[in-house]
């Protein structure tokens, strides 16, 4: 049996030290050792998406990532998305579209859309559907979740437009 090892992880911009066997799924470490309960245990097999987190900005299923494979990469959980108590625009979009029944799948849905917007700031309908394709919602809230994802994409576009406008203003005034 592999003995536990002491590992430093970067989670939500903080260094966290844990002791566990290297093969322990990252999901267990986040929930059981670090009390980060945003990522949910659904299938434990990489099939439902409930456990998604961002690793270096990319959405991954934390039930399939062993602790020993994380290294110095940045892990961001649902808890790490909001800055100083204000919600991330994707979280806001999900609330505004009332895209939840039981809410169990929402961690994965939100993380998937944040990951999508990291790599594609102007996703179209097929990009959104592809990002959510392997995320299961057993309450059948798919229509509201899609609406929330579209709204989040609109927010991302508006944010991009406003930051490029303020960059232009800086250039003109400098
Ligand atoms: S719990 Fe990880 S994909 Fe289902
Ligand atoms: S809202 Fe219940 S599983 Fe999606």
């Amino acid at each position: 049996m592999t003995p536990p090892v002491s590992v430093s992880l970067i989670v939500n911009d903080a260094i966290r030290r844990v002791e566990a066997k290297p093969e322990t799924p990252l999901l267990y470490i986040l929930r059981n050792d670090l009390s980060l309960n945003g990522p949910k245990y659904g299938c434990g097999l990489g099939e439902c998406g409930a456990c998604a987190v961002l690793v270096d900005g990319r959405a991954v299923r934390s039930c399939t990532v062993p602790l020993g494979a994380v290294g110095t990469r940045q892990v961001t959980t649902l808890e790490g998305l909001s800055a100083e108590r204000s919600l991330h625009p994707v979280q806001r979009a999900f609330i505004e579209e009332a895209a939840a029944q039981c809410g169990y799948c929402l961690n994965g849905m939100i993380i998937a859309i944040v990951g999508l917007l990291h790599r594609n700031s102007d996703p179209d309908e097929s990009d959104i559907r592809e990002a959510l394709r392997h995320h299961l919602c057993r309450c059948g809230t798919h229509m509201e979740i899609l609406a929330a994802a579209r709204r989040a994409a609109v927010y991302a576009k508006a944010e991009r437009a406003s930051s490029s406008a303020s960059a232009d203003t800086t250039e003109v005034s400098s």
Side-chain angles (χ1 to χ4, degrees):
M1 269 197 342
T2 331
V5 289
S6 182
V7 174
S8 288
L9 294 175
I10 309 170
V11 182
N12 297 337
D13 294 325
I15 296 177
R16 308 294 302 267
R17 198 154 194 88
V18 295
E19 284 219 6
K21 295 181 180 186
E23 63 270 25
T24 309
L26 175 60
L27 176 63
Y28 298 1
I29 301 292
L30 295 172
R31 290 182 59 86
N32 302 339
D33 295 72
L34 303 181
S35 300
L36 293 166
N37 294 319
K40 300 285 183 283
Y41 184 97
C43 62
L45 299 167
E47 289 176 1
C48 72
C51 64
V53 299
L54 298 168
V55 173
D56 283 349
R58 196 173 137 254
V60 302
R61 291 165 189 229
S62 62
C63 69
T64 63
V65 177
L67 172 64
V70 179
T72 57
R73 292 182 290 166
Q74 302 264 355
V75 178
T76 307
T77 68
L78 191 68
E79 291 86 345
L81 291 183
S82 46
E84 294 174 5
R85 293 172 181 261
S86 67
L87 290 175
H88 187 283
V90 177
Q91 292 172 305
R92 201 151 42 86
F94 273 72
I95 291 170
E96 288 165 359
E97 292 293 342
Q101 283 193 46
C102 79
Y104 205 80
C105 67
L106 287 196
N107 168 73
M109 303 292 182
I110 290 171
I111 292 286
I113 295 303
V114 174
L116 168 66
L117 293 171
H118 276 168
R119 60 179 194 279
N120 175 0
S121 57
D122 191 13
D124 62 19
E125 182 70 18
S126 67
D127 298 324
I128 289 171
R129 284 176 181 260
E130 183 57 32
L132 295 176
R133 193 152 75 94
H134 298 293
H135 285 260
L136 306 183
C137 172
R138 57 186 211 173
C139 296
T141 318
H142 303 85
M143 290 302 122
E144 290 80 2
I145 289 169
L146 281 170
R150 288 183 205 110
R151 185 187 281 258
V154 170
Y155 288 160
K157 201 170 181 172
E159 202 172 286
R160 214 176 51 255
S162 106
S163 33
S164 73
S166 66
D168 288 350
T169 315
T170 314
E171 256 174 44
V172 169
S173 59
S174 61

